[in-house]
């Protein structure tokens, strides 16, 4: 009888997977067009600054002068404690590799993603796309703005290329 229950559970999981797969596939062009319209609508709701720099408490560009070694050391400690369980520098892990993130994203975007991950994945098209690709939410580690800035400084030390302005 135990194997019968296992079979029912497997069939239930498989059925759920089929429902999710069917919902994700959609039905042709009209639904795809609706998704494009929703994507465009989300972008229309965001300011040009938010599209480039993310949604959150960082409302202006983060000036990136010469790397501050003390701040980077603090950021390394925060990263190792709060971020390294999901992020590696050169390897896709639970989250994306972050070694070159400063060449792909602005400092404000990185900080807003750290400080406001929930709203980012709900409203920002880039964060939504990352969620769709990774199928994993970024946990809110409740960092302060100063800690997020220190993590950004540490990430700058990991890049082999110039940061995105």
């Amino acid at each position: 009888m135990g194997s019968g229950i296992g079979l029912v559970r497997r069939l239930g999981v498989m059925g759920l997977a089929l429902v999710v797969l069917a919902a994700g596939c959609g039905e042709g062009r009209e639904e795809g067009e609706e998704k494009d319209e929703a994507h465009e609508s989300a972008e229309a709701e965001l300011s040009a600054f938010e599209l480039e720099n993310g949604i959150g408490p960082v409302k202006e560009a983060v000036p990136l002068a010469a790397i501050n070694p003390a701040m980077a050391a603090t950021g390394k400690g925060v990263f190792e404690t709060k971020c390294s369980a999901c992020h590696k520098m050169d390897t896709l892990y639970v989250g994306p590799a972050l070694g070159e993130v400063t060449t792909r994203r602005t400092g404000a975007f990185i900080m807003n993603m750290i400080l406001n991950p929930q709203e980012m994945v709900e409203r920002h098209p880039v964060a939504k796309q990352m969620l769709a690709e990774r199928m994993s939410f970024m946990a809110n580690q409740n960092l302060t703005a100063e800690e997020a800035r220190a993590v950004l400084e540490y990430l700058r030390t990991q890049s082999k290329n110039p940061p995105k302005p």
Side-chain angles (χ1 to χ4, degrees):
M1 183 155 209
S3 64
I5 292 172
L7 177 61
V8 169
R9 286 184 182 153
R10 283 191 298 253
L11 289 174
V13 170
M14 288 173 33
L16 178 60
L18 287 173
V19 168
V20 170
L21 180 63
C25 289
E27 291 190 23
R29 192 170 179 205
E30 290 178 10
E31 186 172 323
E33 288 173 357
E34 289 173 12
K35 289 180 183 177
D36 288 343
E37 289 172 12
H39 181 77
E40 289 172 10
S41 173
E43 285 188 15
E45 293 175 10
L46 301 178
S47 69
F49 179 85
E50 289 172 324
L51 284 171
E52 180 72 14
N53 297 286
I55 305 162
V58 181
K59 303 287 188 197
E60 53 190 47
V62 177
L64 300 177
I67 291 176
N68 178 326
M71 186 186 293
T74 298
K76 180 180 182 184
V78 173
F79 182 88
E80 289 173 350
T81 302
K82 301 277 189 162
C83 311
S84 65
C86 295
H87 293 283
K88 306 303 175 202
M89 290 302 152
D90 297 321
T91 305
L92 173 63
Y93 199 56
V94 175
L98 296 180
E100 296 296 327
V101 70
T102 59
T103 65
R104 297 186 308 269
R105 308 279 181 248
T106 66
F109 185 99
I110 294 166
M111 289 182 64
N112 279 327
M113 192 69 203
I114 292 169
L115 296 169
N116 193 30
Q118 183 69 36
E119 188 175 10
M120 285 286 287
V121 298
E122 289 173 357
R123 296 186 52 219
H124 197 280
V126 171
K128 284 181 181 183
Q129 181 63 35
M130 287 189 292
L131 175 61
E133 291 170 3
R134 308 283 184 260
M135 298 303 292
S136 177
F137 277 95
M138 180 168 154
N140 187 338
Q141 297 293 329
N142 297 308
L143 272 63
T144 66
E146 293 77 23
E147 289 170 321
R149 179 62 181 90
V151 169
L152 171 61
E153 198 70 0
Y154 169 63
L155 292 173
R156 291 178 62 209
T157 70
Q158 300 303 298
S159 179
K160 298 167 187 76
N161 298 300
K164 185 171 182 171

